[in-house]
Amino acid sequence: MRQSVSAGDGPRIDLPRRQLVIVTIGVLTSMMLFALDSSIVATAMPRIISELSGLQFYAWVTTAYLVTSTTIIPISGKLGDLFGRKRFLQAGTIGFLATSALCGFAQTMPQLVAARGLQGLFGGMLTSSAIASIADLYMPATRARMQGVFASVFAVANIAGPIVGGILADTVGWRYIFYVNVLLGLVASLIVAKNMPTMRTSATWRSIDVRGALLLAAGLAPLLIGLTATREFGWTSPLVLALFAAAVVLLILFVFAELRVPNPIMPLRLFRIPAVSVSVAVSFLAAFGMFGSNLYVPLLYQGLLGLSATQSGLLLAPRMFGMVAASLTSGQLVTRITRYRFVGAAGLVLLAAGLFVLSRITTESTELTVVGALVLLGLGFGSNQPIYQNVVMSAVPFEYVGVASSQVQFWRSLGQTMGVAVLGAVLASQVAGPTAGETVSAISPELRPALAEGLRSLFLVATVAVAIAVVVSLQLPEVPFRRRGQARTAVADTIASPDPATTA
């Protein structure tokens, strides 16, 4: 039995059902590589520092990976549209394996930081190609359900990562947290190589907007580094201000460049499409609130409630279970109703409610109250993740699927980075002393009232960001997932229409 193909709507790969299942397993395994990486490495970082020294490089192990992976996502999304997803999925997976091995071989912290930067490049390429490949493999109505499955992979990885990372670091050594990627990645690469057809395209390397790609990378790098550096140097330090100024200048040049090329690396006309602009805005705001506050939940557990690191780690799991359940349920639900924007809005309401409950936690609160709030976070974020990714895929012509879907990932990642920076500044304005990156044991009983006030303000800011996302989400035009001919024609006309900036 073959999956049917709808003219103009994709998917462009017509596979027997058995082969389709095998390919999907391969793509999901590739996604698991990327999803496991951050949580599994974070768990082993204390052991890595104790062996390699260089505490001053602690944050940069994560920062290097985040900067390069976020930067490459929109670029690889566009290149996948031009040359086919399989090439970049394979390149991302194989490159990820090689750079994982480099991380495991690192003898100093600077070497590890450099290897993590390279690993981020391939990790971003891998994840953007894997998510966009859903459009190649599945019909529109099925994509929403598969988006739920893909989103649940991240939730499962966040549960398994700390456990696997801790076990490996305590038994065979921290280097094996990187070596384990090699075995998993080889399996994924072989499955995809053997079973996923290569799509033929008419694009050539001359089709690549090299100038746009370079300007985008050059502008995003100082922006992301500057946002991360605010945690150490503050928002008004000369270094941070210089990085932000450089980012502004380069990104302005990038916008002007993109308006004047026939095949831009990031087609700015996509943002004229309401489904794209709303989805991107909601993804940014939801990630700002959800992931920006995630970093500080252990501080709440350990700093306010006096729990151990092991206890707080175990009590984070309910959030992920909620996310898995909601992702799978939401993916099934939105294909059966027409007013699916209310599903997304309801999920955001749950997310905002969970953040608000966290803002009310004091030293007198119970662990059960925090767990309940985290379940709301998981249910809320998990229920809206599949919706906006699939809406964007359904709202644009097939040739723009990769670059459009990568925008949701890109803005979500940018929202996470900005959320950590802004919410960290909110906390620092209330608490002088240890932050989330330092030892909680350094917090004296006298400091806990200030910590409680700082966390209250932090979670309230996150709540406001998500509340704004609720309002924005209600503006989402509900693009039909099954019959999209009219919607596609209107969107194609929007993208093809001349830009005023290019005709002035």
Side-chain angles (χ1 to χ4, degrees):
M1 180 178 179
R2 293 180 179 271
Q3 176 148 327
S4 61
V5 179
S6 174
D9 285 339
R12 301 299 177 86
I13 300 178
D14 185 22
L15 300 177
R17 185 174 296 277
R18 181 177 178 276
Q19 187 177 356
L20 179 63
V21 171
I22 294 173
V23 171
T24 302
I25 291 172
V27 175
L28 284 170
T29 307
S30 295
M31 283 286 293
M32 182 64 77
L33 279 175
F34 181 85
L36 272 174
D37 189 78
S38 58
S39 58
I40 198 173
V41 172
T43 305
M45 277 304 298
R47 188 64 56 88
I48 295 173
I49 290 293
S50 68
E51 182 173 324
L52 298 184
S53 301
L55 181 61
Q56 68 273 26
F57 294 104
Y58 187 104
W60 287 101
V61 172
T62 300
T63 299
Y65 185 91
L66 180 65
V67 169
T68 54
S69 63
T70 302
T71 300
I72 200 65
I73 281 174
I75 296 173
S76 61
K78 176 64 176 181
L79 294 179
D81 285 338
L82 289 175
F83 301 104
R85 231 73 64 190
K86 181 180 178 179
R87 293 184 176 93
F88 290 92
L89 181 59
Q90 285 288 85
T93 303
I94 294 171
F96 196 86
L97 305 187
T99 50
S100 290
L102 282 179
C103 290
F105 294 148
Q107 302 300 310
T108 65
M109 284 298 289
Q111 289 179 9
L112 181 59
V113 170
R116 285 286 284 168
L118 287 173
Q119 190 184 29
L121 282 174
F122 293 105
M125 185 184 301
L126 184 159
T127 188
S128 66
S129 302
I131 291 177
S133 68
I134 299 174
D136 295 344
L137 297 170
Y138 290 95
M139 295 298 294
T142 311
R143 287 177 200 161
R145 295 196 290 271
M146 293 308 302
Q147 289 287 356
V149 174
F150 274 65
S152 68
V153 167
F154 282 91
V156 170
N158 274 278
I159 298 171
I163 298 172
V164 174
I167 292 173
L168 291 176
D170 290 339
T171 53
V172 294
W174 65 265
R175 296 181 188 276
Y176 283 85
I177 68 173
F178 296 107
Y179 297 154
V180 75
N181 287 338
V182 177
L183 177 61
L184 193 62
L186 281 174
V187 173
S189 182
L190 289 173
I191 291 174
V192 172
K194 184 177 180 180
N195 295 281
M196 187 174 183
T198 301
M199 292 176 61
R200 296 180 179 180
T201 68
S202 59
T204 67
W205 291 106
R206 293 182 180 180
S207 305
I208 300 175
D209 174 20
V210 176
R211 181 174 62 174
L214 291 176
L215 284 172
L216 178 60
L220 288 177
L223 174 63
L224 294 168
I225 292 172
L227 286 171
T228 306
T230 58
R231 296 169 60 188
E232 182 177 354
F233 300 103
W235 288 85
T236 58
S237 72
L239 173 63
V240 170
L241 292 176
L243 288 168
F244 285 161
V248 169
V249 171
L250 289 165
L251 290 175
I252 289 174
L253 291 175
F254 165 73
V255 170
F256 280 111
E258 293 301 272
L259 293 173
R260 288 165 171 77
V261 293
N263 199 15
I265 201 78
M266 184 187 291
L268 301 179
R269 295 185 183 90
L270 287 176
F271 295 101
R272 293 178 179 178
I273 304 169
V276 175
S277 56
V278 170
S279 296
V280 161
V282 170
S283 298
F284 175 85
L285 291 166
F288 181 102
M290 173 70 172
F291 293 114
S293 60
N294 271 357
L295 179 67
Y296 304 101
V297 173
L299 186 60
L300 186 151
Y301 269 136
Q302 299 171 53
L304 289 190
L305 303 187
L307 302 182
S308 68
T310 301
Q311 289 173 316
S312 66
L314 291 173
L315 290 175
L316 288 173
R319 177 188 61 199
M320 298 305 168
F321 289 128
M323 190 179 297
V324 171
S327 296
L328 295 174
T329 303
S330 173
Q332 295 289 331
L333 183 60
V334 296
T335 61
R336 292 172 166 81
I337 61 176
T338 55
R339 299 294 184 182
Y340 55 78
R341 75 173 183 271
F342 295 112
V343 177
L348 292 168
V349 169
L350 290 177
L351 177 55
L355 290 168
F356 182 75
V357 172
L358 291 178
S359 75
R360 313 306 297 172
I361 299 299
T362 68
T363 54
E364 305 300 320
S365 301
T366 65
E367 295 93 328
L368 186 60
T369 305
V370 181
V371 168
L374 294 180
V375 170
L376 288 176
L377 294 186
L379 292 172
F381 194 76
S383 62
N384 71 66
Q385 272 204 93
I387 296 174
Y388 299 104
Q389 191 81 63
N390 196 61
V391 165
V392 167
M393 286 184 174
S394 300
V396 302
F398 187 82
E399 60 269 23
Y400 289 95
V401 162
V403 68
S405 63
S406 71
Q407 289 304 307
V408 177
Q409 302 167 59
F410 167 72
W411 286 97
R412 186 177 290 155
S413 181
L414 190 59
Q416 174 183 349
T417 306
M418 188 165 289
V420 169
V422 172
L423 298 181
V426 172
L427 180 63
S429 68
Q430 301 284 340
V431 184
T435 64
E438 299 174 349
T439 58
V440 179
S441 60
I443 300 176
S444 64
E446 295 78 16
L447 191 60
R448 286 186 176 176
L451 175 63
E453 183 62 26
L455 289 171
R456 185 186 73 83
S457 300
L458 180 156
F459 287 115
L460 281 177
V461 172
T463 302
V464 171
V466 178
I468 295 172
V470 173
V471 177
V472 175
S473 70
L474 294 174
Q475 312 306 311
L476 182 72
E478 285 147 334
V479 181
F481 291 161
R482 298 180 190 277
R483 294 175 293 276
R484 298 177 294 142
Q486 293 180 346
R488 276 191 181 279
T489 300
V491 168
D493 290 343
T494 300
I495 294 176
S497 62
D499 194 302
T502 63
T503 57

PDB file of all heavy atoms in Angstrom, residues 461-480:
ATOM      1  N   VAL A 461       7.057  37.538  35.092  1.00  0.00           N
ATOM      2  CA  VAL A 461       7.441  38.035  33.766  1.00  0.00           C
ATOM      3  C   VAL A 461       7.201  36.957  32.712  1.00  0.00           C
ATOM      4  O   VAL A 461       6.681  37.224  31.617  1.00  0.00           O
ATOM      5  CB  VAL A 461       8.920  38.491  33.764  1.00  0.00           C
ATOM      6  CG1 VAL A 461       9.380  38.810  32.340  1.00  0.00           C
ATOM      7  CG2 VAL A 461       9.102  39.712  34.650  1.00  0.00           C
ATOM      8  N   ALA A 462       7.574  35.711  33.030  1.00  0.00           N
ATOM      9  CA  ALA A 462       7.329  34.599  32.103  1.00  0.00           C
ATOM     10  C   ALA A 462       5.831  34.420  31.861  1.00  0.00           C
ATOM     11  O   ALA A 462       5.399  34.147  30.732  1.00  0.00           O
ATOM     12  CB  ALA A 462       7.932  33.315  32.658  1.00  0.00           C
ATOM     13  N   THR A 463       5.025  34.601  32.910  1.00  0.00           N
ATOM     14  CA  THR A 463       3.574  34.477  32.763  1.00  0.00           C
ATOM     15  C   THR A 463       3.026  35.524  31.811  1.00  0.00           C
ATOM     16  O   THR A 463       2.176  35.231  30.955  1.00  0.00           O
ATOM     17  CB  THR A 463       2.886  34.626  34.138  1.00  0.00           C
ATOM     18  OG1 THR A 463       3.393  33.641  35.040  1.00  0.00           O
ATOM     19  CG2 THR A 463       1.377  34.451  34.008  1.00  0.00           C
ATOM     20  N   VAL A 464       3.505  36.755  31.945  1.00  0.00           N
ATOM     21  CA  VAL A 464       3.055  37.844  31.070  1.00  0.00           C
ATOM     22  C   VAL A 464       3.406  37.539  29.611  1.00  0.00           C
ATOM     23  O   VAL A 464       2.594  37.748  28.701  1.00  0.00           O
ATOM     24  CB  VAL A 464       3.667  39.185  31.512  1.00  0.00           C
ATOM     25  CG1 VAL A 464       3.384  40.273  30.481  1.00  0.00           C
ATOM     26  CG2 VAL A 464       3.111  39.594  32.872  1.00  0.00           C
ATOM     27  N   ALA A 465       4.621  37.030  29.371  1.00  0.00           N
ATOM     28  CA  ALA A 465       5.036  36.701  28.001  1.00  0.00           C
ATOM     29  C   ALA A 465       4.099  35.670  27.386  1.00  0.00           C
ATOM     30  O   ALA A 465       3.674  35.804  26.222  1.00  0.00           O
ATOM     31  CB  ALA A 465       6.477  36.184  27.997  1.00  0.00           C
ATOM     32  N   VAL A 466       3.735  34.651  28.147  1.00  0.00           N
ATOM     33  CA  VAL A 466       2.851  33.612  27.622  1.00  0.00           C
ATOM     34  C   VAL A 466       1.424  34.138  27.484  1.00  0.00           C
ATOM     35  O   VAL A 466       0.699  33.747  26.558  1.00  0.00           O
ATOM     36  CB  VAL A 466       2.901  32.358  28.512  1.00  0.00           C
ATOM     37  CG1 VAL A 466       1.933  31.290  28.003  1.00  0.00           C
ATOM     38  CG2 VAL A 466       4.317  31.793  28.554  1.00  0.00           C
ATOM     39  N   ALA A 467       1.000  35.029  28.386  1.00  0.00           N
ATOM     40  CA  ALA A 467      -0.331  35.625  28.261  1.00  0.00           C
ATOM     41  C   ALA A 467      -0.450  36.419  26.961  1.00  0.00           C
ATOM     42  O   ALA A 467      -1.488  36.387  26.284  1.00  0.00           O
ATOM     43  CB  ALA A 467      -0.617  36.528  29.461  1.00  0.00           C
ATOM     44  N   ILE A 468       0.615  37.107  26.588  1.00  0.00           N
ATOM     45  CA  ILE A 468       0.624  37.819  25.297  1.00  0.00           C
ATOM     46  C   ILE A 468       0.515  36.812  24.157  1.00  0.00           C
ATOM     47  O   ILE A 468      -0.184  37.027  23.162  1.00  0.00           O
ATOM     48  CB  ILE A 468       1.901  38.671  25.163  1.00  0.00           C
ATOM     49  CG1 ILE A 468       1.908  39.780  26.222  1.00  0.00           C
ATOM     50  CG2 ILE A 468       2.001  39.278  23.762  1.00  0.00           C
ATOM     51  CD1 ILE A 468       3.214  40.550  26.283  1.00  0.00           C
ATOM     52  N   ALA A 469       1.199  35.664  24.311  1.00  0.00           N
ATOM     53  CA  ALA A 469       1.122  34.615  23.286  1.00  0.00           C
ATOM     54  C   ALA A 469      -0.303  34.106  23.123  1.00  0.00           C
ATOM     55  O   ALA A 469      -0.716  33.762  22.005  1.00  0.00           O
ATOM     56  CB  ALA A 469       2.063  33.465  23.652  1.00  0.00           C
ATOM     57  N   VAL A 470      -1.059  34.044  24.219  1.00  0.00           N
ATOM     58  CA  VAL A 470      -2.459  33.600  24.133  1.00  0.00           C
ATOM     59  C   VAL A 470      -3.244  34.533  23.223  1.00  0.00           C
ATOM     60  O   VAL A 470      -3.984  34.094  22.326  1.00  0.00           O
ATOM     61  CB  VAL A 470      -3.111  33.561  25.535  1.00  0.00           C
ATOM     62  CG1 VAL A 470      -4.608  33.265  25.409  1.00  0.00           C
ATOM     63  CG2 VAL A 470      -2.442  32.513  26.409  1.00  0.00           C
ATOM     64  N   VAL A 471      -3.070  35.836  23.430  1.00  0.00           N
ATOM     65  CA  VAL A 471      -3.788  36.828  22.613  1.00  0.00           C
ATOM     66  C   VAL A 471      -3.378  36.717  21.153  1.00  0.00           C
ATOM     67  O   VAL A 471      -4.215  36.723  20.236  1.00  0.00           O
ATOM     68  CB  VAL A 471      -3.517  38.247  23.144  1.00  0.00           C
ATOM     69  CG1 VAL A 471      -4.200  39.286  22.257  1.00  0.00           C
ATOM     70  CG2 VAL A 471      -4.008  38.379  24.581  1.00  0.00           C
ATOM     71  N   VAL A 472      -2.073  36.587  20.908  1.00  0.00           N
ATOM     72  CA  VAL A 472      -1.576  36.479  19.533  1.00  0.00           C
ATOM     73  C   VAL A 472      -2.105  35.208  18.872  1.00  0.00           C
ATOM     74  O   VAL A 472      -2.482  35.210  17.691  1.00  0.00           O
ATOM     75  CB  VAL A 472      -0.037  36.503  19.517  1.00  0.00           C
ATOM     76  CG1 VAL A 472       0.492  36.272  18.102  1.00  0.00           C
ATOM     77  CG2 VAL A 472       0.489  37.833  20.054  1.00  0.00           C
ATOM     78  N   SER A 473      -2.156  34.105  19.622  1.00  0.00           N
ATOM     79  CA  SER A 473      -2.566  32.825  19.048  1.00  0.00           C
ATOM     80  C   SER A 473      -3.994  32.860  18.530  1.00  0.00           C
ATOM     81  O   SER A 473      -4.341  32.116  17.603  1.00  0.00           O
ATOM     82  CB  SER A 473      -2.419  31.712  20.083  1.00  0.00           C
ATOM     83  OG  SER A 473      -3.391  31.832  21.113  1.00  0.00           O
ATOM     84  N   LEU A 474      -4.837  33.699  19.109  1.00  0.00           N
ATOM     85  CA  LEU A 474      -6.231  33.782  18.667  1.00  0.00           C
ATOM     86  C   LEU A 474      -6.364  34.444  17.296  1.00  0.00           C
ATOM     87  O   LEU A 474      -7.442  34.416  16.696  1.00  0.00           O
ATOM     88  CB  LEU A 474      -7.060  34.540  19.706  1.00  0.00           C
ATOM     89  CG  LEU A 474      -7.209  33.823  21.059  1.00  0.00           C
ATOM     90  CD1 LEU A 474      -7.915  34.723  22.064  1.00  0.00           C
ATOM     91  CD2 LEU A 474      -7.972  32.513  20.895  1.00  0.00           C
ATOM     92  N   GLN A 475      -5.270  35.048  16.808  1.00  0.00           N
ATOM     93  CA  GLN A 475      -5.281  35.654  15.479  1.00  0.00           C
ATOM     94  C   GLN A 475      -4.875  34.661  14.391  1.00  0.00           C
ATOM     95  O   GLN A 475      -4.815  35.014  13.209  1.00  0.00           O
ATOM     96  CB  GLN A 475      -4.301  36.855  15.434  1.00  0.00           C
ATOM     97  CG  GLN A 475      -4.435  37.823  16.594  1.00  0.00           C
ATOM     98  CD  GLN A 475      -5.842  38.329  16.774  1.00  0.00           C
ATOM     99  OE1 GLN A 475      -6.462  38.763  15.802  1.00  0.00           O
ATOM    100  NE2 GLN A 475      -6.348  38.285  18.001  1.00  0.00           N
ATOM    101  N   LEU A 476      -4.600  33.426  14.785  1.00  0.00           N
ATOM    102  CA  LEU A 476      -4.116  32.430  13.826  1.00  0.00           C
ATOM    103  C   LEU A 476      -5.198  32.065  12.812  1.00  0.00           C
ATOM    104  O   LEU A 476      -6.283  31.626  13.178  1.00  0.00           O
ATOM    105  CB  LEU A 476      -3.682  31.161  14.565  1.00  0.00           C
ATOM    106  CG  LEU A 476      -3.103  30.040  13.698  1.00  0.00           C
ATOM    107  CD1 LEU A 476      -1.717  30.422  13.193  1.00  0.00           C
ATOM    108  CD2 LEU A 476      -3.033  28.734  14.495  1.00  0.00           C
ATOM    109  N   PRO A 477      -4.922  32.233  11.507  1.00  0.00           N
ATOM    110  CA  PRO A 477      -5.877  31.752  10.495  1.00  0.00           C
ATOM    111  C   PRO A 477      -5.775  30.236  10.397  1.00  0.00           C
ATOM    112  O   PRO A 477      -4.684  29.681  10.305  1.00  0.00           O
ATOM    113  CB  PRO A 477      -5.388  32.431   9.204  1.00  0.00           C
ATOM    114  CG  PRO A 477      -3.949  32.708   9.431  1.00  0.00           C
ATOM    115  CD  PRO A 477      -3.765  32.920  10.904  1.00  0.00           C
ATOM    116  N   GLU A 478      -6.908  29.562  10.418  1.00  0.00           N
ATOM    117  CA  GLU A 478      -6.913  28.104  10.456  1.00  0.00           C
ATOM    118  C   GLU A 478      -6.848  27.540   9.036  1.00  0.00           C
ATOM    119  O   GLU A 478      -7.862  27.377   8.366  1.00  0.00           O
ATOM    120  CB  GLU A 478      -8.153  27.608  11.214  1.00  0.00           C
ATOM    121  CG  GLU A 478      -7.983  27.811  12.715  1.00  0.00           C
ATOM    122  CD  GLU A 478      -9.277  28.117  13.420  1.00  0.00           C
ATOM    123  OE1 GLU A 478     -10.191  28.641  12.768  1.00  0.00           O
ATOM    124  OE2 GLU A 478      -9.371  27.842  14.634  1.00  0.00           O
ATOM    125  N   VAL A 479      -5.635  27.276   8.581  1.00  0.00           N
ATOM    126  CA  VAL A 479      -5.417  26.729   7.247  1.00  0.00           C
ATOM    127  C   VAL A 479      -5.847  25.266   7.247  1.00  0.00           C
ATOM    128  O   VAL A 479      -5.388  24.482   8.078  1.00  0.00           O
ATOM    129  CB  VAL A 479      -3.933  26.825   6.862  1.00  0.00           C
ATOM    130  CG1 VAL A 479      -3.703  26.271   5.461  1.00  0.00           C
ATOM    131  CG2 VAL A 479      -3.453  28.267   6.954  1.00  0.00           C
ATOM    132  N   PRO A 480      -6.749  24.862   6.346  1.00  0.00           N
ATOM    133  CA  PRO A 480      -7.180  23.455   6.323  1.00  0.00           C
ATOM    134  C   PRO A 480      -6.008  22.525   6.055  1.00  0.00           C
ATOM    135  O   PRO A 480      -5.151  22.804   5.227  1.00  0.00           O
ATOM    136  CB  PRO A 480      -8.191  23.417   5.175  1.00  0.00           C
ATOM    137  CG  PRO A 480      -8.640  24.827   5.006  1.00  0.00           C
ATOM    138  CD  PRO A 480      -7.459  25.679   5.348  1.00  0.00           C
TER     139      PRO A 480
END
